[in-house]
C-alpha cells in the first residue's frame, strides 16, 4: 500500500482507538439522535474488565453519556435532562469544530494526498488543523464551568486535542462522558428512549443483571437491590407488552 494510504489508514485507526470505550456491567451509554435517544450496554466482547463499545465514526459530534442503571435512590431524571439540554447548547461550537476537523482530515487531506499533490496546500492544511485544535482548546478553557469539567478533565482533554488531530475528533464525546449526572440510568432510559429502543435494551440489561446476581456475595442488601432492578425491568416489559 502506498505511504499516503497508510497515513490515511493510520488517522482512521487512531480515531477509532481513541473512540473505544469500556462499558462496565452496571453501566449504559446514551446519546441523542434526530428523534429521541438511543442507548447501549456495549457489545458482547469483554475488554479490560468491561464490554467494548466503539461509537459510530460517522457521527463524532454526538454527545455520549455514561450512566449507571443501578442507582435506585437517585432523583428523577428531570433535573438531569435539563442539565443535558444546557450541556448540548454549550457543546454546539465544539460540534461545529469537530465537523470541520472531520472535513479536513477525511475530505481535504485525501484530496491533497491522492489527487492534488501540492506542498503549499499540505502546509496550509496542517496549519488549519492545528489552528482549529487550538481554537477548540480555547473554547474548552473559556467555557469550562458550562461544560461541567474539572481542571484535571479539562487539561486531559486539551492535551489530547492538541497532541493528536484524530483525537480532537472525539472532543465532544470526551466532554459529555465526563458529566457526573445524578440520575438512575434505567429511569433516564425509560424517560427518553422510544419504546422500540427500550425493548431492545431490556434483553442485554437482563443478561447483565443475571451476571451480577451470579457473582454477588450473600449480601441481603445487594441481593435486594438486584431483585428490585429485575422487577423494574419486568415492569417495563409488561408496560411495553
Amino acid at each position: 500500500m502506498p505511504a499516503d494510504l497508510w497515513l490515511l489508514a493510520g488517522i482512521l485507526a487512531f480515531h477509532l482507538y481513541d473512540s473505544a470505550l469500556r462499558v462496565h456491567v452496571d453501566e449504559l451509554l446514551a446519546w441523542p439522535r434526530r428523534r429521541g435517544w438511543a442507548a447501549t450496554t456495549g457489545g458482547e466482547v469483554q475488554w479490560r474488565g468491561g464490554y467494548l463499545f466503539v461509537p459510530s465514526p460517522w457521527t463524532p459530534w454526538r454527545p455520549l453519556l455514561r450512566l449507571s442503571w443501578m442507582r435506585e435512590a437517585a432523583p428523577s431524571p428531570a433535573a438531569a435532562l435539563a442539565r443535558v439540554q444546557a450541556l448540548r447548547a454549550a457543546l454546539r461550537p465544539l460540534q461545529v469544530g469537530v465537523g470541520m476537523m472531520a472535513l479536513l482530515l477525511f475530505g481535504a487531506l485525501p484530496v491533497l494526498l491522492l489527487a492534488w499533490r501540492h506542498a503549499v496546500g499540505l502546509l496550509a492544511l496542517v496549519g488549519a488543523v492545528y489552528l482549529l485544535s487550538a481554537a477548540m482548546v480555547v473554547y474548552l478553557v473559556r467555557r469550562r464551568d458550562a461544560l461541567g469539567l474539572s481542571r484535571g478533565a479539562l487539561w486531559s482533554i486539551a492535551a489530547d486535542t492538541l497532541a493528536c488531530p484524530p483525537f480532537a475528533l472525539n472532543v465532544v464525546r470526551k466532554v459529555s462522558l465526563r458529566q457526573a449526572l445524578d440520575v438512575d440510568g434505567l429511569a433516564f432510559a425509560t424517560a427518553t428512549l422510544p419504546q422500540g429502543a427500550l425493548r431492545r435494551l431490556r434483553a442485554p440489561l437482563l443478561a447483565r443483571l443475571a451476571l451480577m446476581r451470579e457473582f454477588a456475595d450473600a449480601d441481603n442488601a445487594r441481593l435486594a437491590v438486584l431483585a428490585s432492578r429485575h422487577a423494574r425491568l419486568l415492569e417495563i416489559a409488561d408496560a411495553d407488552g
Side-chain angles (χ1 to χ4, degrees):
M1 189 178 347
D4 293 342
L5 292 180
W6 278 114
L7 175 61
L8 296 174
I11 290 173
L12 178 60
F14 270 101
H15 170 54
L16 293 177
Y17 165 78
D18 191 52
S19 302
L21 297 169
R22 176 183 57 183
V23 186
H24 294 286
V25 68
D26 63 340
E27 292 180 336
L28 59 85
L29 300 174
W31 61 93
R33 308 182 72 174
R34 284 187 178 180
R35 298 180 180 177
W37 285 70
T40 182
T41 58
E44 295 302 318
V45 177
Q46 296 194 23
W47 178 55
R48 295 168 56 188
Y51 294 88
L52 177 65
F53 177 70
V54 180
S56 170
W58 310 115
T59 54
W61 47 81
R62 278 183 179 164
L64 194 59
L65 302 176
R66 186 187 294 272
L67 306 169
S68 171
W69 53 276
M70 291 293 293
R71 300 188 59 191
E72 284 194 310
S76 76
L81 284 168
R83 167 62 192 146
V84 170
Q85 286 300 108
L87 174 68
R88 292 177 67 181
L91 283 172
R92 286 193 186 106
L94 290 176
Q95 291 176 305
V96 173
V98 167
M100 293 173 63
M101 184 68 74
L103 287 175
L104 290 173
L105 294 180
F106 300 122
L109 182 59
V111 170
L112 287 171
L113 289 177
L114 304 176
W116 187 60
R117 301 181 64 89
H118 196 286
V120 175
L122 284 171
L123 287 174
L125 176 63
V126 171
V129 164
Y130 281 98
L131 183 62
L132 180 57
S133 296
M136 289 195 287
V137 169
V138 169
Y139 183 81
L140 288 171
V141 173
R142 291 174 62 91
R143 299 282 287 166
R144 180 173 72 87
D145 291 339
L147 295 170
L149 296 175
S150 66
R151 290 187 182 275
L154 168 65
W155 295 120
S156 174
I157 296 172
D160 282 350
T161 302
L162 290 174
C164 184
F167 288 6
L169 290 168
N170 287 319
V171 65
V172 170
R173 289 171 178 161
K174 290 177 181 178
V175 171
S176 55
L177 285 167
R178 297 276 187 158
Q179 303 304 304
L181 296 175
D182 188 15
V183 65
D184 171 41
L186 185 55
F188 188 94
T190 304
T192 58
L193 265 60
Q195 294 302 318
L198 197 58
R199 282 194 295 271
R200 290 190 294 272
L201 185 65
R202 189 172 58 238
L205 284 177
L206 286 170
R208 299 285 192 268
L209 188 62
L211 184 64
M212 284 191 282
R213 294 177 75 172
E214 182 179 347
F215 289 96
D217 296 329
D219 181 349
N220 289 335
R222 178 64 172 172
L223 291 175
V225 170
L226 295 175
S228 175
R229 293 282 87 178
H230 186 265
R232 178 64 184 126
L233 287 171
L234 294 182
E235 287 175 8
I236 294 173
D238 291 340
D240 289 344

